[in-house]
């Protein structure tokens, strides 16, 4: 046995499975550029029609209704005792939902945990979806 | 009572408390720029002498030993049922630990969960530390 018992390797997930895992958790982290610096905020989300819908303070992630921004979105469920779990990273284009009716409908679906100005509804259209699960490293070796 | 029972507000944490919380968890998410796009990866970390030490595949986060990169680092412990918890976001400068003795010492302190090439030791020197806890929104109103 050449592997320590808690060593892990990454098994990549199909996109459909990664998006299913993402849809099954209530929050993740939006990764964006702000004042030319990398920025990150935990937010809650829903996955709807293949897109990730979040709410944000206006101007935080996407400048205004006419602009779009390339962002990343990450969610995970990791168990640091067992060293098992999964992580999904989506890179995509974030746009403000401009249509008032659509924005109102989506607002009801993504109620922020935090009281305050989270009045901008943002939709992230995934372009690259990377998901992995941690599996025991020795599983790749077959039976001992 | 104008607040719903599970509404929350953010209470900002002092930097020392934020760094203490960060040091108390084994992993977070490194946020960086890769091929001019926002990128994020879950990694494990230790906090040492006020800096965050992680390991990475060489070239992933910081180009080589001569360069440095502005990154963000995020960790949280959030309970989506109770809507309570905390999050810490650090913005800082990431550099490769070039001294072989120091790199070897730090490597032993940050053993990656995943088998493979995580041979670059990176130290992030915090410049901006933002931490918050979620607290019940009605707590700001005083007794009913």
């Amino acid at each position: 046995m050449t592997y320590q018992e808690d060593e892990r390797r990454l098994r990549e997930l199909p996109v459909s499975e990664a998006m299913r895992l993402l849809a099954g958790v209530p929050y993740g982290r939006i990764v964006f550029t702000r004042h030319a610096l990398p920025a990150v905020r935990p937010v809650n989300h829903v996955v709807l029609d293949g897109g990730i819908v979040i709410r944000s303070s206006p101007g935080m992630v996407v400048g205004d209704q006419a602009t779009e921004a390339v962002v990343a979105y990450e969610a995970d469920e990791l168990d640091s005792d067992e060293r098992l779990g999964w992580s999904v990273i989506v890179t995509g284009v974030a746009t403000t939902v401009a249509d008032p009716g659509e924005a109102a409908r989506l607002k009801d679906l993504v109620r922020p945990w935090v009281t305050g100005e989270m009045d901008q509804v943002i939709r992230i259209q995934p372009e690259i979806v990377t998901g992995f699960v941690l599996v025991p490293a020795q599983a790749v070796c077959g039976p001992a």
Side-chain angles (χ1 to χ4, degrees), chain A:
Chain A
M1 176 102 158
T2 51
Y3 292 98
Q4 293 187 46
E5 208 164 281
D6 63 351
E7 261 188 274
R8 303 289 177 244
R9 66 181 180 92
L10 299 179
R11 183 165 64 77
E12 202 167 327
L13 292 169
V15 169
S16 58
E17 175 68 2
M19 290 302 292
R20 193 188 64 77
L21 287 168
L22 185 65
V25 295
Y27 70 91
R29 294 141 202 105
I30 177 80
V31 173
F32 55 104
T33 304
R34 186 165 167 79
H35 306 314
L37 295 175
V40 55
R41 296 284 184 285
V43 289
N44 48 329
H45 70 257
V46 294
V47 174
L48 204 72
D49 303 329
I52 303 164
V53 179
I54 64 167
R55 285 170 63 171
S56 168
S57 305
M60 170 79 84
V61 177
V62 182
D64 60 37
Q65 298 196 351
T67 57
E68 57 184 37
V70 176
V71 300
Y73 196 82
E74 193 267 355
D76 56 52
E77 280 191 324
L78 296 168
D79 179 330
S80 56
D81 292 327
E82 297 290 335
R83 299 193 162 202
L84 292 173
W86 59 266
S87 168
V88 168
I89 297 159
V90 172
T91 307
V93 176
T95 47
T96 304
V97 176
D99 178 77
E102 178 74 353
R105 187 178 74 88
L106 294 175
K107 255 186 188 174
D108 284 344
L109 295 177
V110 195
R111 199 163 64 83
W113 298 4
V114 176
T115 308
E117 292 296 315
M118 298 284 272
D119 280 342
Q120 192 180 30
V121 180
I122 292 172
R123 185 187 160 87
I124 303 161
Q125 188 58 41
E127 302 210 335
I128 306 165
V129 177
T130 312
F132 63 78
V133 283
L134 290 162
V135 295
Q138 63 268 35
V140 288
C141 309

